Amino acid sequence: MSDTMEMNIEYDHKKLIIESWLATIAYNKQLNEKINSLSSREHQIIDLILDGKLNKEIAYELNISMSTVEAHRASIMHKMEAKTVAHFIKMYLYN
């Protein structure tokens, strides 16, 4: 392989690494903005979800109705643009 080809491959590799790094920074910034858009009550709900609590346990612990818990969970999923709870947890913990 010629020196020029090796230099091109090395350049392409470095370019991919930089592009990946920049994409990660942009993704983290978007995640931070989404997480910062959540209310303090939504953060409380998230903490309890991460503790493995069921909706009825969350409702009891926070002294709110189950439908309120469900509404908060729906709002969290919408704000975070998460398709599933597992997707949301991965995003939240990734940040």
Side-chain angles (χ1 to χ4, degrees):
M1 191 179 301
S2 73
D3 287 343
T4 304
M5 287 178 69
E6 287 179 19
M7 286 175 53
N8 285 341
I9 290 170
E10 187 175 323
Y11 172 80
D12 288 344
H13 180 71
K14 287 179 181 178
K15 184 179 174 187
L16 284 173
I17 290 171
I18 291 169
E19 288 172 351
S20 175
W21 179 71
L22 291 173
T24 300
I25 290 171
Y27 180 74
N28 286 340
K29 183 179 178 190
Q30 288 174 342
L31 275 180
N32 280 330
E33 289 170 359
K34 290 175 186 177
I35 290 170
N36 289 337
S37 75
L38 300 173
S39 70
S40 59
R41 178 63 94 181
E42 288 168 335
H43 280 284
Q44 285 180 310
I45 302 279
I46 290 167
D47 289 341
L48 294 170
I49 290 169
L50 294 176
D51 285 344
K53 304 273 183 175
L54 302 173
N55 284 353
K56 65 182 178 179
E57 295 170 316
I58 294 170
Y60 178 78
E61 192 163 323
L62 297 178
N63 198 28
I64 57 177
S65 72
M66 242 177 67
S67 61
T68 301
V69 173
E70 291 166 354
H72 282 302
R73 285 182 69 143
S75 176
I76 291 166
M77 297 293 285
H78 176 75
K79 288 179 181 179
M80 294 296 295
E81 299 177 15
K83 293 172 180 50
T84 65
V85 174
H87 179 223
F88 160 71
I89 290 172
K90 285 179 185 177
M91 285 192 306
Y92 191 78
L93 294 178
Y94 175 77
N95 190 36

